[in-house]
């Protein structure tokens, strides 16, 4: 039930610190070792490339996951949309391993890829919030997201749970391969930081509500920009805003704007810039100046490590690899309050269903 909440979406945003704690408790032993199926790790160690297949928000969690797997488990990763990949399957690597990301476990676009993967007798894992779902039953292995039922159509806690569970698996695989990068990644500590960091952001709801009003009232277009990990995050942030507020939004690689899209920036255009990626930070600052010089109304969401005076939202300490777990939360709240201000049906936006069982 919604309890004291007006909407499931806000309840589910607020539940995210607990979801992080639950994932930590369920997947990490007290001594820091991980509880991951040994047979799954044996299969994964044979793989020369991971293919993450998903749709929508889960696809965006896959884009964040790519970086995590590459860094912690030293394996190349392709992230693919089910709706594209199923019909235009590229030439696969010699030993592919498929990971299906799906909150519902019922998404037809992802399932039709799994059907083909099974026909080819290739190994697969489903990461899902619904243990007995179709994708879970039809793939070789399952890892549960443990986010609890997600009722609001706009996915929030499943996205952050997917990133956390990807980190569990990446670290487990890296450790199984004897990699220092994996051993040195203190996931227990990072998930605790994630839980606390999300809490800090949700405690700033009222401020974020005011920012949403300040930046988005009477606006019909908005941009989210960032580099690296923040680019993947920008795509999810823009999707959240579009699907529930109906404001047209684009997520953009910060450096790409100047290759055409910057033509759309005019006085007052809202631009939300993420600065959590260390390698990209200074260049993104340059891109912020470029759009400000053209009149954009810029809101900066920066990690405390890279924050500058005047930044509107500060993200608490967290390893960059999993930083979207915290930095997506301001975007979830901005979308929520923009939708609320427009009088939309926040939990049931127009034209959308919670799980999409047609191709
Ligand atoms: C957006 C959203 C959708 C789903 C997508 C995949 O908020 O909820 O984009 O992420 O339809 O659904 P699952 O994860 O159930 O496969």
């Amino acid at each position: 039930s919604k309890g004291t909440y007006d909407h499931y979406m806000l309840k589910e945003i607020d539940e995210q610190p607990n979801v992080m704690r639950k994932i930590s408790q369920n997947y990490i032993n007290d001594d820091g070792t991980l509880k991951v199926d040994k047979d799954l790790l044996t299969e994964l160690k044979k793989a020369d490339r991971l293919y993450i297949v998903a749709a929508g928000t889960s696809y965006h969690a896959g884009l964040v996951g790519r970086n995590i797997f590459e860094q912690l488990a030293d394996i190349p990763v392709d992230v693919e949309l089910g709706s594209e990949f199923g019909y235009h399957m590229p030439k696969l690597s010699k030993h592919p391993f498929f990971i299906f990301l799906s909150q519902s476990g019922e998404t037809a676009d992802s399932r039709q890829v799994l059907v083909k993967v099974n026909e080819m007798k290739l190994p697969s894992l489903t990461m899902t919030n619904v243990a007995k779902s179709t994708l879970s039953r039809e793939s070789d292995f399952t890892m549960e997201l443990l986010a609890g039922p997600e009722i609001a159509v706009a996915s929030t806690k499943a996205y952050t749970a997917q990133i956390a569970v990807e980190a569990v698996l990446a670290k487990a695989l890296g450790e199984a391969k004897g990699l220092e990068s994996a051993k040195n990644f203190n996931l227990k500590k990072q998930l605790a930081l994630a839980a606390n960091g999300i809490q800090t952001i949700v405690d700033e709801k009222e401020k974020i509500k005011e920012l949403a009003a300040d930046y988005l009232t009477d606006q019909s277009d908005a941009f989210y920009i960032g580099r690296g990990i923040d680019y993947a995050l920008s795509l999810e942030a823009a999707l959240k805003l579009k699907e529930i507020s109906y404001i047209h939004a684009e997520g953009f690689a910060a450096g790409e704007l100047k290759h055409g899209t910057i033509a759309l920036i005019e006085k007052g255009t809202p631009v939300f810039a993420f600065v959590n990626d260390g390698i990209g930070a200074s260049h993104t600052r340059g891109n912020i100046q470029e759009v400000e010089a053209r009149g954009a109304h810029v809101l900066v969401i920066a990690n405390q490590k890279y924050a500058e005076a005047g930044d509107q939202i500060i993200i608490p300490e967290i390893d960059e690899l999993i930083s979207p777990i915290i930095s997506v939360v301001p975007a979830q709240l901005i979308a929520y309050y923009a939708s609320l201000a427009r009088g939309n049906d926040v939990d049931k936006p127009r034209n959308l269903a919670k799980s999409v069982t047609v191709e």
Side-chain angles (χ1 to χ4, degrees), residues 149-166:
E150 193 181 65
I151 310 293
V153 164
S155 183
T156 53
K157 60 181 180 170
Y159 171 83
T160 46
Q162 277 168 338
I163 296 170
V165 175
E166 286 175 307

Side-chain angles (χ1 to χ4, degrees), residues 112-157:
Q112 49 100 6
V113 180
L114 178 55
V115 169
K116 293 192 172 105
V117 163
N118 284 339
E119 280 166 10
M120 293 185 282
K121 302 209 175 352
L122 295 171
S124 63
L125 159 73
T126 292
M127 286 185 182
T128 180
N129 209 21
V130 184
K132 303 251 152 40
S133 57
T134 305
L135 284 161
S136 169
R137 282 186 277 108
E138 295 181 357
S139 58
D140 300 323
F141 301 96
T142 295
M143 286 177 81
E144 281 187 63
L145 299 178
L146 306 172
E150 193 181 65
I151 310 293
V153 164
S155 183
T156 53
K157 60 181 180 170

Side-chain angles (χ1 to χ4, degrees), residues 166-178:
E166 286 175 307
V168 169
L169 185 61
K171 178 174 162 70
L173 177 57
E175 287 180 347
K177 290 174 155 185

